[in-house]
Amino acid sequence: MSELVTGEAVVLGLRTARLPSRALARLLDWAVYTVAFVVLILGLSLGISDLETAAAAALTLSTFVFCTVLLPTLVETLSQGRSLGKVALGLRVVRADGGPIRFRHALVRGLVGIIDFGMFAMPAVVASLCSAEGRRLGDVFGGTMVIRERLPHGARDQGAVPPVPPQVMNALGADLVALDLSAVPDGLWLSARQVLGRMHELDKPVAAALGDRMAADMAQRTGWPVPAGLPSLVYLGAVVMERQRREWERASAAAYAMYAAQQAQLMQQAQQAQQAQQAQQVPPVHRPGYPQSAPQPAAVTLAKPAKPAGPAEAPAPAAGGGGFVPPA
């Protein structure tokens, strides 16, 4: 167990890796780098077959240095301290203050590793056994250490504080809603979240001490003391959950207001587009002198043909006349 001080002046306990896990991770890395070395040598020998003995020896030495120093340095730099063996065992190389390593840290580890793993790795074994954090010479000169990221369930459950139960939140609801959280600085919020997020990785005494100190500071800022019988970490969790609830309400209100404004803008744009479309539909213009519709043909009435006129008939004599009719 190692205690580190972060940039927010919070002491965190990190579980450092011990010699057996580090040795197994190193063996896995050696196997990978050995395969890479053999593949490179075979490829170079097939590609360049007419080299002299001195040139071939220099090329082999350069490949060996690349696979033993430069390649591990590049892998640890790009993966932020996670080589293949360390990923398999849940380990990671970090700085002495808990931060991620950089190229210079990995380079110093790789260069000093020539001494560490020479003579059957006896310098690394002796240095790791004599160090409280299990650091080898490369870690001492590079300012690094190897920690365990993936913990077994037994180690996670040991000293773990359960989340804030709903009944506790309901009991503290009135006091939490009435709290004034404006006096709490951002650094204290960040520190509380870090401790609550990593409380499963901390030993029980370290977690209890951190909880008591931060709870006292939080109570002084908010004016709400820790209730009697309530664990300090539960108190911190309740206050942090109340702040998250308020932030969520503010964010939800802002998001809903933005959504409502966008919907109103879309409706206004749709109405304007509909009005513009209606304005573009101009009724047809009726010119004078032209019929508005095509003339319909007049209905044809069929009439019976007139009877042809015959020769003129002589007028009939008047009824009742008895006189002489002169000849025509």
Side-chain angles (χ1 to χ4, degrees):
M1 187 71 185
S2 176
E3 293 186 355
L4 304 180
V5 181
T6 64
E8 293 80 17
V10 179
V11 180
L12 296 180
L14 299 178
R15 295 184 179 272
T16 56
R18 294 305 178 184
L19 183 59
S21 59
R22 294 188 61 175
L24 185 56
R26 186 67 185 184
L27 287 176
L28 293 176
D29 290 336
W30 269 351
V32 174
Y33 298 145
T34 302
V35 172
F37 174 73
V38 172
V39 171
L40 289 176
I41 288 298
L42 291 178
L44 292 175
S45 62
L46 293 177
I48 306 174
S49 58
D50 55 348
L51 286 179
E52 298 180 355
T53 305
L59 187 60
T60 304
L61 181 60
S62 301
T63 306
F64 177 77
V65 172
F66 173 77
C67 292
T68 55
V69 177
L70 295 181
L71 185 58
T73 300
L74 292 176
V75 170
E76 288 189 354
T77 302
L78 297 178
S79 63
Q80 293 185 348
R82 300 182 184 93
S83 61
L84 183 61
K86 291 180 176 62
V87 170
L89 295 178
L91 307 181
R92 182 184 179 184
V93 183
V94 296
R95 297 198 308 262
D97 58 354
I101 64 172
R102 301 186 182 277
F103 177 76
R104 60 184 181 87
H105 303 96
L107 181 60
V108 173
R109 280 174 51 84
L111 292 175
V112 183
I114 300 175
I115 302 175
D116 273 333
F117 300 105
M119 296 181 295
F120 302 100
M122 289 304 297
V125 172
V126 173
S128 180
L129 291 176
C130 294
S131 174
E133 295 86 10
R135 303 168 70 186
R136 63 178 177 89
L137 295 179
D139 294 322
V140 175
F141 287 99
T144 59
M145 62 187 306
V146 181
I147 63 173
R148 287 187 291 169
E149 282 192 320
R150 188 171 63 247
L151 300 176
H153 293 285
R156 291 182 180 179
D157 297 337
Q158 183 181 5
V161 179
V164 181
Q167 57 270 22
V168 176
M169 294 297 296
N170 293 333
L172 302 176
D175 295 331
L176 290 174
V177 173
L179 281 181
D180 183 13
L181 305 179
S182 59
V184 181
D186 294 336
L188 184 55
W189 290 121
L190 179 60
S191 301
R193 285 196 298 266
Q194 285 181 348
V195 172
L196 292 174
R198 304 188 65 174
M199 61 184 179
H200 297 293
E201 304 177 11
L202 303 175
D203 286 342
K204 189 174 181 180
V206 176
L210 285 174
D212 294 340
R213 186 168 58 187
M214 287 192 176
D217 194 3
M218 188 73 70
Q220 183 180 2
R221 303 277 186 174
T222 59
W224 182 45
V226 181
L230 188 67
S232 57
L233 288 176
V234 178
Y235 169 84
L236 286 176
V239 177
V240 170
M241 288 180 63
E242 173 62 20
R243 183 174 186 263
Q244 292 178 352
R245 184 191 66 81
R246 296 183 185 182
E247 291 180 351
W248 169 252
E249 288 183 352
R250 287 194 296 265
S252 301
Y256 180 77
M258 185 180 299
Y259 172 77
Q262 291 178 355
Q263 293 298 320
Q265 185 177 2
L266 291 177
M267 292 181 61
Q268 184 178 3
Q269 292 177 357
Q271 292 178 358
Q272 292 177 357
Q274 185 177 4
Q275 293 176 0
Q277 186 177 3
Q278 293 177 358
Q280 290 178 359
Q281 296 178 354
V282 182
V285 180
H286 304 289
R287 298 182 180 179
Y290 287 87
Q292 298 184 7
S293 61
Q296 301 292 333
V300 179
T301 304
L302 298 178
K304 295 182 179 180
K307 188 176 180 181
E313 297 179 354
F324 176 77
V325 177

